[in-house]
Amino acid sequence: MIGTRLPGSDLPLADHDVIAAYLAASGDDNPLHRDRHVARSAGFEDILVPGMLLMAQMAECLAAWPHCRSIKRLQCRFVEPVRAGTPLRCDGRIVATDPTGLTLVRLTAGQDRRILVLGEAAITLA
Amino acid sequence: MNARTETSASRPIGAFPVTVDAARVRDYAKVAGASTNSVAPVPFAFPICWLSPPEIRVAIIAAVQEDSGIAGGVLPVHLDQTIALSENLRVGEDYLLSLAVDGPDPRRIVQITGQITAPDGRAVGSLELRLALVTCEGAQAASRPRS
């Protein structure tokens, strides 16, 4: 199984409306994610997509893979801040099996060849 | 299964009762893009929602600012985040979230760790976040509890 690739998929576009819905659902009210003025004062061009939303989307992308029975651990590193409305594609590949028998999957979310989020998941296989 | 163990420099923030609210799960799953093929009814990343209530957020900010020398309001930007669950969370279940903070370091990076336990004390999972603290307009208001 090592080397097996997940079918890549486009993450749901996190535009202003989706981010607003996420903030309402999650309870997050960080103004960097809802107030363009605040975001600009912090040096960003636009409001930022919450990292927690990106992680949630990547987890769902993995969870929808028929070979994934359960996710045990997911780590995401946010390589760069992601501006609202940035289209992202999620890809993944099985890279190893850990000593406990869990399968390790390397995940990326990015635009073209630019990786914006780097993840590693430990899963059990179906 | 722990995301990572707390470091010796971790300071406890507190232990907070949390729940897997059905309506919140539904809204969260929808916006996270959960499909009917999902392996668990509760989205894997759902526990991160538990950090959002004002009483928890304010406790985190207070712990971060304590003895850190950071004056005024700050806002967190995620650098990385880990969630580990040894079992699927159950809708309607109550859990206890025990939080600790380490930092900020001289680069204004702070680490938050959380342990999730079931009412019977069983360890269910853990959270770990590494946040960069940025100072900007609006930060002061965001760090205050809402009425």
Side-chain angles (χ1 to χ4, degrees):
Chain A
M1 290 293 281
I2 291 176
T4 300
R5 292 183 180 277
L6 280 68
S9 61
D10 294 331
L11 294 180
L13 185 67
D15 58 16
H16 284 236
D17 290 341
V18 168
I19 292 172
Y22 176 80
L23 297 181
S26 69
D28 189 346
D29 74 345
N30 187 332
L32 290 173
H33 304 310
R34 58 178 165 77
D35 187 327
R36 186 176 282 159
H37 181 70
V38 172
R40 285 180 174 164
S41 78
F44 305 110
E45 290 180 29
D46 197 352
I47 62 170
L48 302 181
V49 181
M52 295 184 282
L53 172 57
L54 296 171
M55 184 178 197
Q57 291 179 334
M58 292 173 74
E60 293 307 317
C61 181
L62 180 59
W65 189 39
H67 294 297
C68 179
R69 187 168 68 185
S70 65
I71 303 172
K72 294 299 184 185
R73 185 182 68 247
L74 176 60
Q75 177 180 24
C76 285
R77 184 161 63 88
F78 306 101
V79 180
E80 294 180 31
V82 178
R83 293 195 311 272
T86 302
L88 297 176
R89 185 167 181 80
C90 182
D91 291 291
R93 183 169 61 91
I94 294 177
V95 293
T97 302
D98 80 4
T100 65
L102 294 174
T103 298
L104 303 182
V105 180
R106 182 71 47 82
L107 293 168
T108 61
Q111 189 178 35
D112 301 324
R113 292 182 176 277
R114 190 170 163 203
I115 294 173
L116 299 176
V117 186
L118 186 59
E120 184 176 276
I123 67 171
T124 56
L125 293 174
Chain B
M1 172 176 289
N2 290 330
R4 213 175 287 174
T5 54
E6 293 176 18
T7 68
S8 58
S10 294
R11 308 185 300 279
I13 296 174
F16 304 89
V18 293
T19 190
V20 184
D21 178 75
R24 198 171 190 191
V25 166
R26 186 180 61 244
D27 292 345
Y28 182 89
K30 182 180 177 184
V31 76
S35 74
T36 54
N37 292 333
S38 279
V39 294
V42 179
F44 183 81
F46 181 80
I48 212 73
C49 292
W50 291 334
L51 299 178
S52 297
E55 66 273 19
I56 295 181
R57 191 181 62 242
V58 168
I60 291 172
I61 291 171
V64 166
Q65 291 186 319
E66 188 177 82
D67 299 327
S68 69
I70 296 176
V74 291
L75 293 175
V77 176
H78 278 82
L79 298 178
D80 61 57
Q81 180 168 302
T82 304
I83 299 173
L85 294 175
S86 57
E87 58 187 76
N88 291 334
L89 299 176
R90 296 180 183 178
V91 173
E93 285 278 316
D94 296 323
Y95 298 93
L96 194 67
L97 177 64
S98 302
L99 294 172
V101 62
D102 185 357
D105 68 12
R107 296 171 299 160
R108 289 193 166 191
I109 293 174
V110 63
Q111 179 173 297
I112 308 287
T113 53
Q115 304 298 324
I116 304 166
T117 52
D120 63 3
R122 190 177 72 257
V124 173
S126 61
L127 310 172
E128 182 180 306
L129 301 85
R130 220 162 51 90
L131 308 165
L133 303 177
V134 299
T135 305
C136 59
E137 293 178 35
Q140 191 74 57
S143 62
R144 286 196 294 263
R146 304 294 186 270
S147 58

